[in-house]
Amino acid sequence: ADAHFLDEFTPFRKKVSWYGQLNSLSQVLLKITSPGVPDFYQGSELWDFSLVDPDNRRAVDYGKRLRLLDEVQAMEAEKLLSEMDDGRIKLFLTWKALQHRREHSALFRDGEYLPLEVLGEHKERLCAFARKNDNDQSIVVAPRFFTSLVESSVLPLGEDAWGDTMVEIPFAAVGEKYRNIFTGEAVTLRDAGGTPVCLLAELLRHFPVALLRGGT
């Protein structure tokens, strides 16, 4: 009976875990970049499977996290995507986004929050906004509703996932370049009827979320 239950449950667990990991990446990025001060529960830098007290009172293995932090600082984002189950991708995203926030503290402390219009096939499956403080600006792109976007075990990347979906950047100019801090890639704004846009097929080609820095 126990083996039968595991045979039935294991595929379901893997499916839920897959979508949960993708949702977690979007949530962490939104937490770090939205207005206000991001709050981190100690030990949640990796995938966290705590429920309620006393689970969330377990001692945190800081040595492990320091060792993994050293690892991810020398790794490419695409390598981490192929090994998502170990949680290093969440630590990588947290490190990169917090580093960016520290380097642009005035932007995230005092900058405006500007919701961005999303157009195209999957416009309902994306959160997009800008933080802007005079000429200092960053753009945040965080997908949602992954279960209706891709099959489990399929990464939501590139044109196959995003089709013609695009994000309008009304305060920028066509041809202007941004840098994705997670991948290091340069992203060029395209022309959509006179409006500068980011194409999701390009922006999310190698990583499932994006934090863009202007002026590259």
Side-chain angles (χ1 to χ4, degrees):
D2 290 343
H4 178 70
F5 171 77
L6 289 176
D7 290 342
E8 293 286 328
F9 179 74
T10 298
F12 173 74
R13 181 199 64 79
K14 289 181 178 179
K15 180 178 181 179
V16 172
S17 177
W18 176 254
Y19 289 124
Q21 290 171 0
L22 293 173
N23 275 318
S24 181
L25 297 179
S26 287
Q27 289 173 353
V28 173
L29 178 60
L30 292 174
K31 175 171 69 174
I32 293 173
T33 56
S34 296
V37 179
D39 183 28
F40 286 86
Y41 198 92
Q42 293 184 32
S44 65
E45 299 85 2
L46 305 172
W47 305 135
D48 183 64
F49 303 106
S50 299
L51 295 175
V52 293
D53 293 349
D55 282 359
N56 58 6
R57 299 183 185 181
R58 289 173 294 200
V60 177
D61 188 344
Y62 290 107
K64 176 182 179 180
R65 283 156 178 77
L66 287 171
R67 175 175 56 81
L68 294 180
L69 182 59
D70 286 339
E71 289 182 14
V72 300
Q73 289 178 351
M75 293 180 70
E76 299 291 335
E78 289 181 84
K79 173 67 173 175
L80 292 163
L81 274 178
S82 67
E83 302 172 355
M84 281 180 57
D85 284 348
D86 63 20
R88 288 181 300 173
I89 191 170
K90 181 181 179 184
L91 182 62
F92 170 82
L93 186 152
T94 302
W95 163 59
K96 280 284 192 181
L98 284 177
Q99 183 182 54
H100 181 71
R101 184 183 176 102
R102 181 179 62 185
E103 292 170 354
H104 304 280
S105 57
L107 171 65
F108 289 97
R109 184 184 63 242
D110 305 321
E112 298 177 86
Y113 168 86
L114 302 174
L116 298 176
E117 186 76 19
V118 182
L119 306 173
E121 181 180 359
H122 298 297
K123 63 181 182 180
E124 301 300 328
R125 298 181 176 92
L126 201 72
C127 297
F129 60 88
R131 300 300 306 275
K132 195 170 186 300
N133 187 27
D134 296 326
N135 292 326
D136 197 4
Q137 57 183 264
S138 288
I139 294 170
V140 179
V141 175
R144 60 180 190 158
F145 302 146
F146 289 101
T147 56
S148 59
L149 180 66
V150 291
E151 296 295 324
S152 60
S153 79
V154 176
L155 287 165
L157 303 176
E159 189 173 0
D160 288 345
W162 291 105
D164 65 352
T165 311
M166 62 187 75
V167 179
E168 292 187 347
I169 317 295
F171 50 79
V174 173
E176 191 170 340
K177 292 185 181 296
Y178 286 74
R179 181 177 60 85
N180 187 337
I181 72 158
F182 298 126
T183 65
E185 295 172 292
V187 178
T188 303
L189 299 189
R190 309 296 182 180
D191 184 3
T195 300
V197 299
C198 283
L199 302 180
L200 267 292
E202 297 179 0
L203 179 58
L204 301 183
R205 184 168 48 192
H206 298 299
F207 203 71
V209 299
L211 176 55
L212 303 182
R213 172 70 185 154
T216 62

